Amino acid sequence: MMSARLSDRATLHVTGADAEPFLQNLVTADLDALAPGEARPAALLTPQGKILFDFLLSRIDDGLRLDVAAGARSDLAKRLTLYKLRAKVAISLSDEPVGVFWETGEGPAGAVADRRFPTGVFRSYGMDVDEGDPAAFEALRLSLGIAEAERDFPGSDVFPHDVLLDQNGGVSFRKGCYVGQEVVARMQHRGTARRRVMVLRAEGHLTPGANVEAGGRTIGTVLSAHVGLGIGMVRIDRLVDALAAGASLSADGVPVEAEVPSWAGYALPEAGSGGEA
């Protein structure tokens, strides 16, 4: 079993009689599908449908836990407070440490399964976790194309489809309204998601922020990288056209290969179609 303490993550708790309906009406995920013992991805959007904050949701006594980038936690708490109005909820910052365990069939007692990963990854809250190997966990995350706000992309810059929240259960297309729902539902119905997170593998060092190019044309950006492994935001219509034309991919002159994350269900469009299949 591998483990690491995630010092760049923090939690806040939303508790009280109205905690679940309060969040159900705000966030992208369907809380009715959230089972005890698991953490599921979700986001709070702008009215224009872009991600303000993304986080992992899990159940606690009398409410829910939000596991978010540490640097965004206070702003998320303030944003939720703006929506609180007369709802019977309490929004509190927690000092519980956040840890992760992987390469295991079961997590330690009290840990919850991180549903962004296909299998074998567990989050822990409030446990005494050694520093461990955060770099190894980062490599695992990147190898599976799992993007996180603040670390990989800034708030208010991407849609849920861009970072695959539509693929991992982070967006519900069946529950009622939430902030930004109309835009997200329209993208799903029309199949207009053209930007997608893809796994990048290079023969040399990948630089975050570098353009991904094909035949002299920019088709994406490297979001994060660990040596020759990274994730990028790629225009999949431009990628398909470039591959059909026999163009090779590069980032800062380093040859790159781009692949759909192994767990994701989206398909590349037909060449020249301008959209996702």
Side-chain angles (χ1 to χ4, degrees):
M1 180 188 299
M2 301 280 288
S3 66
R5 180 166 179 166
L6 302 179
S7 57
D8 62 339
R9 303 292 294 190
T11 66
L12 60 85
H13 294 177
V14 179
T15 56
D18 294 338
E20 186 153 339
F22 169 70
L23 286 175
Q24 181 79 318
N25 291 330
L26 290 177
V27 306
T28 56
D30 186 358
L31 297 185
D32 290 343
L34 179 64
E38 66 177 5
R40 287 190 174 270
L44 180 64
L45 309 182
T46 67
Q48 294 75 34
K50 291 191 173 182
I51 295 174
L52 269 177
F53 307 94
D54 74 347
F55 36 82
L56 286 169
L57 286 168
S58 55
R59 294 190 179 279
I60 56 174
D61 293 341
D62 195 32
L64 295 124
R65 172 193 293 112
L66 283 70
D67 171 345
V68 65
R73 181 177 64 167
S74 293
D75 287 340
L76 174 57
K78 290 176 183 177
R79 177 68 61 158
L80 292 175
T81 300
L82 289 176
Y83 287 114
K84 180 180 174 182
L85 300 177
R86 297 180 181 177
K88 297 178 181 178
V89 299
I91 300 166
S92 59
L93 307 185
S94 171
D95 60 0
E96 59 190 357
V98 180
V100 62
F101 297 82
W102 68 101
E103 292 188 1
T104 176
E106 294 183 4
V112 297
D114 186 339
R115 296 302 188 197
R116 299 174 303 171
F117 293 83
T119 184
V121 177
F122 298 86
R123 303 291 266 211
S124 69
Y125 302 103
M127 297 183 186
D128 186 13
V129 181
D130 292 336
E131 180 67 19
D133 196 349
F137 179 67
E138 177 76 349
L140 173 66
R141 186 179 70 83
L142 295 178
S143 72
L144 290 168
I146 295 170
E148 296 180 340
E150 302 301 315
R151 177 176 284 275
D152 304 315
F153 60 90
S156 304
D157 190 55
V158 305
F159 293 103
H161 284 76
D162 295 341
V163 293
L164 313 187
L165 285 181
D166 64 312
Q167 301 290 305
N168 63 13
V171 174
S172 171
F173 298 104
R174 296 183 178 181
K175 76 168 188 172
C177 292
Y178 52 85
V179 178
Q181 183 263 346
E182 289 186 6
V183 176
V184 175
R186 191 180 310 123
M187 289 184 71
Q188 179 73 7
H189 178 69
R190 296 180 179 176
T192 53
R194 292 187 175 91
R195 294 197 306 176
R196 288 292 199 178
V197 162
M198 301 192 76
V199 177
L200 303 177
R201 301 185 188 276
E203 298 176 7
H205 185 83
L206 278 172
T207 303
N211 288 336
V212 179
E213 298 183 341
R217 185 185 188 192
T218 297
I219 66 167
T221 306
V222 179
L223 299 180
S224 291
H226 180 74
V227 192
L229 172 68
I231 55 174
M233 185 74 69
V234 178
R235 276 287 300 262
I236 56 175
D237 54 336
R238 294 179 182 176
L239 170 64
V240 168
D241 289 346
L243 295 177
S248 58
L249 308 184
S250 65
D252 271 355
V254 177
V256 171
E257 292 184 356
E259 61 188 49
V260 176
S262 59
W263 55 269
Y266 77 87
L268 296 179
E270 297 288 335
S273 67
E276 182 181 334

